[in-house]
Amino acid sequence: MNSKIAGLDQRVKRLEDGNDAAKSDIAGNKAAIDDLSKKVDSLDSNELSEGPKTYDEFVKQLINDGYVNVYFDFNSSEIQKASASSLTFMKAYLLKNSSATVEIQGYADELGSDEYNRELSQKRADAVVRLLSEAGISTSRLKAVGKGKDTSSNNNSDLVRQLARRATFIVK
């Protein structure tokens, strides 16, 4: 819970530093932080111990919660160089956990038609699979899924749209 709160705090700070259109999301994020804080404060020690039991389970949870992402530029399926650390992280995780399989979910922002964004999101997921495969991970452990437009947040700003242009990982 504390890591989720810290992550939300960082998102709010980035939004506060962004343009006015992005600030429309701030109130919702602050409310989410307040709700999480209240939940953490109300937990007893038994509930706190219900989290992941091992380091690998904790890392899997972080990955599945969306803390490891690969980002793309507008109208592109070429992976940004800044995402190299995420790919290195996933490669290391998959090498250490040889029975794990991963679904790579590609997303696009809301600009463009639904059909175009489905195709672009699939190309983004395929690009991540290709790089992980070239890094030595068997394609039998990787599944690319184009999810189309990211509808998880209000995409009324360039900053938020940039965050929508991504691929995420779901460890099975």
Side-chain angles (χ1 to χ4, degrees):
M1 285 288 195
N2 288 333
S3 65
K4 286 184 179 183
I5 291 170
L8 287 171
D9 278 335
Q10 289 175 351
R11 287 175 54 193
V12 168
K13 283 181 177 70
R14 281 194 304 266
L15 288 172
E16 288 174 335
D17 294 338
N19 62 32
D20 289 337
K23 291 182 181 179
S24 64
D25 286 340
I26 292 173
N29 285 331
K30 283 185 178 179
I33 290 170
D34 290 342
D35 287 345
L36 278 173
S37 294
K38 288 175 187 172
K39 287 179 184 176
V40 168
D41 291 342
S42 68
L43 293 175
D44 64 30
S45 60
N46 290 333
E47 290 174 301
L48 289 173
S49 65
E50 292 176 6
K53 304 288 186 242
T54 68
Y55 176 78
D56 286 340
E57 287 177 14
F58 176 69
V59 171
K60 178 181 175 181
Q61 180 179 337
L62 288 175
I63 293 167
N64 289 346
D65 285 348
Y67 289 97
V68 180
N69 297 291
V70 174
Y71 293 97
F72 302 84
D73 288 327
F74 177 72
N75 199 28
S76 174
S77 60
E78 186 174 326
I79 297 170
Q80 290 181 349
K81 288 181 173 103
S83 295
S85 61
S86 293
L87 291 165
T88 301
F89 182 88
M90 285 307 301
K91 175 187 172 186
Y93 178 84
L94 290 168
L95 289 174
K96 185 174 188 291
N97 296 278
S98 59
S99 64
T101 60
V102 178
E103 180 175 288
I104 295 100
Q105 299 179 342
Y107 291 92
D109 63 28
E110 86 284 357
L111 302 177
S113 71
D114 287 345
E115 182 180 339
Y116 177 79
N117 282 324
R118 273 191 301 278
E119 290 172 12
L120 180 58
S121 67
Q122 184 65 49
K123 288 177 184 176
R124 289 173 173 170
D126 290 339
V128 173
V129 166
R130 191 170 34 261
L131 270 177
L132 286 172
S133 173
E134 290 169 2
I137 305 300
S138 170
T139 56
S140 66
R141 300 174 61 199
L142 308 170
K143 179 181 178 184
V145 177
K147 301 295 259 182
K149 294 179 184 180
D150 173 21
T151 58
S152 66
S153 63
N154 182 353
N155 291 339
N156 289 333
S157 75
D158 289 338
L159 176 63
V160 176
R161 281 192 293 272
Q162 174 56 57
L163 294 174
R165 299 178 201 122
R166 72 188 190 289
T168 62
F169 301 92
I170 303 296
V171 178
K172 306 285 182 167

